[in-house]
């Protein structure tokens, strides 16, 4: 007989908790992966809300782990976490050596996680912990990924929600990997999915894209996104712009390939225009020197070429980052059970 899958174990655990356990019916662990960057003010609220949700779910067969990744915070975040860890042995902390960005911090958390399922969640309570029981239920029913979809983004500014929806449209037009709109990093992933993510070789990580790329059986639950519980967003418009570029450049080479077509069309047009000019000169003789058309053509082509070079640069930069094979993040210290 093959060993039961985590889902089967859970189903049994839910229904006949009192039965004696066979050796392969081990306790299942669900890890919450929480990247934090200067979040000293929001951690306490996050912990109290999350505990209120997970404590009642905890049984002898289902355990939780709170895996914080301190992404180079410069405020009291690490102290707050260490303090919380003294009272709650479920808390583990991966302390990164500096700020590597949310994508890298999430990667560090997923790498450090040895649980049967993981749920990346923001510390600012914008991803409501209240959804966790529902996610675990869907996992129990056999889903390997349970994504939480924002039913509305009214808590975001107009500019942010418009630019986000523009990004999804452009990205999905250019890329074969379709990212579902309004789905963030908040999701439950089964061990099988985590193992695939862990083994992806790339350094530049656009998590939303990678999450969509891996596939697996996916269930969707909807929620309303709340405003931040405290503090301010760590994502400036410039960081968001770069994240959007990362997403497109990591999952589409259309921007790179399109210049061949643009170039061809312009060449054909230039050739035809050249023919017209030659024909006109032959029929009507030499015209007044065409300073304006010359300048316009030159500036236009110069501009197009610079854009093309810029796009090449975007990709070349990414290739350069990949070939250097530097690690995605550096861990200063991991705080867990035995220290
Ligand atoms: N975060 C991080 N490193 C960063 C920026 C953000 O670990 O460089 C964390 C942050 O602490 C929070 C989550 O990522 O837990 C989401 O950040 P934020 O709420 O600022 O983003 P927003 O919700 O505005 O997109
Ligand atoms: Mg937030």
């Amino acid at each position: 007989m093959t060993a039961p899958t985590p889902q089967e174990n859970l189903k049994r655990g839910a229904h006949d908790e009192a039965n004696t356990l066979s050796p392969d019916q081990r306790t299942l662990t669900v890890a919450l992966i929480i990247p934090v960057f200067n979040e000293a003010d929001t951690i306490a609220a996050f912990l109290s809300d999350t505990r209120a949700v997970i404590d009642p779910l905890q049984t002898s067969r289902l355990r939780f782990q709170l895996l914080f990744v301190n992404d180079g915070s410069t405020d009291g975040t690490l102290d707050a976490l260490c303090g919380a860890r003294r009272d709650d042995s479920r808390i583990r902390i991966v302390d990164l050596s500096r700020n590597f960005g949310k994508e890298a911090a999430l990667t560090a958390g997923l790498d450090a996680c040895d649980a049967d399922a993981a749920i990346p969640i923001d510390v600012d309570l914008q991803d409501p912990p209240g959804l966790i029981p529902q996610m675990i239920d869907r996992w129990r029913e056999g889903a390997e990924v349970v994504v939480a979809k924002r039913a509305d983004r009214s808590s975001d500014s107009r500019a942010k929600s418009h630019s986000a929806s523009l990004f999804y449209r452009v990205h999905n037009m250019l890329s074969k990997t379709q990212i579902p709109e309004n789905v963030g990093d908040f999701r439950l992933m089964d061990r099988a999915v985590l193992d695939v993510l862990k083994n992806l070789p790339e350094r530049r990580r656009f998590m939303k894209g990678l999450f969509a790329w891996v596939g697996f059986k996916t269930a969707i639950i909807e929620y309303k996104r709340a405003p931040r519980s405290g503090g301010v967003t760590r994502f400036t418009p410039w960081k968001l712009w770069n994240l959007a570029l990362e997403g497109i450049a990591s999952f589409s080479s259309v921007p790179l390939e399109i210049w061949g077509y643009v170039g061809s069309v312009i060449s054909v047009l230039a050739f035809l225009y050249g023919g017209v000019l030659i024909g006109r000169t032959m029929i009507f003789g030499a015209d007044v020197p065409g300073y304006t058309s010359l300048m316009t053509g030159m500036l236009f082509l110069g501009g197009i070429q610079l854009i093309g070079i810029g796009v090449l640069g975007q990709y070349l930069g990414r290739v350069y980052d990949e070939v250097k094979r530097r690690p995605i993040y550096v861990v200063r210290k991991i705080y867990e059970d035995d220290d």
Side-chain angles (χ1 to χ4, degrees), residues 278-301:
I278 291 171
R280 214 168 58 179
T281 313
M282 278 169 34
I283 298 167
F284 303 110
D287 211 350
V288 200
Y291 177 73
T292 316
S293 57
L294 208 70
M295 265 325 258
T296 317
M298 237 172 61
L299 291 178
F300 176 66
L301 285 181

Side-chain angles (χ1 to χ4, degrees), residues 39 102 122-127 156 160 225-229 232-235:
E39 300 278 7
K102 185 184 176 190
D122 284 1
V123 74
D124 57 9
L125 294 175
Q126 286 196 290
D127 301 334
D156 282 339
K160 186 158 179 183
R225 193 161 171 84
R228 223 175 197 285
S229 66
V232 288
T233 175
R234 308 285 171 246
F235 283 90

Side-chain angles (χ1 to χ4, degrees), residues 77-113:
T77 299
L78 185 62
D79 295 336
L81 290 175
C82 288
R85 214 176 75 84
R86 278 193 281 278
D87 317 321
D88 191 339
S89 60
R90 294 171 300 185
I91 297 181
R92 287 172 72 197
I93 309 163
V94 175
D95 186 27
L96 301 187
S97 63
R98 64 170 168 86
N99 179 249
F100 283 87
K102 185 184 176 190
E103 311 292 302
L106 259 184
T107 307
L110 293 173
D111 285 350
C113 158

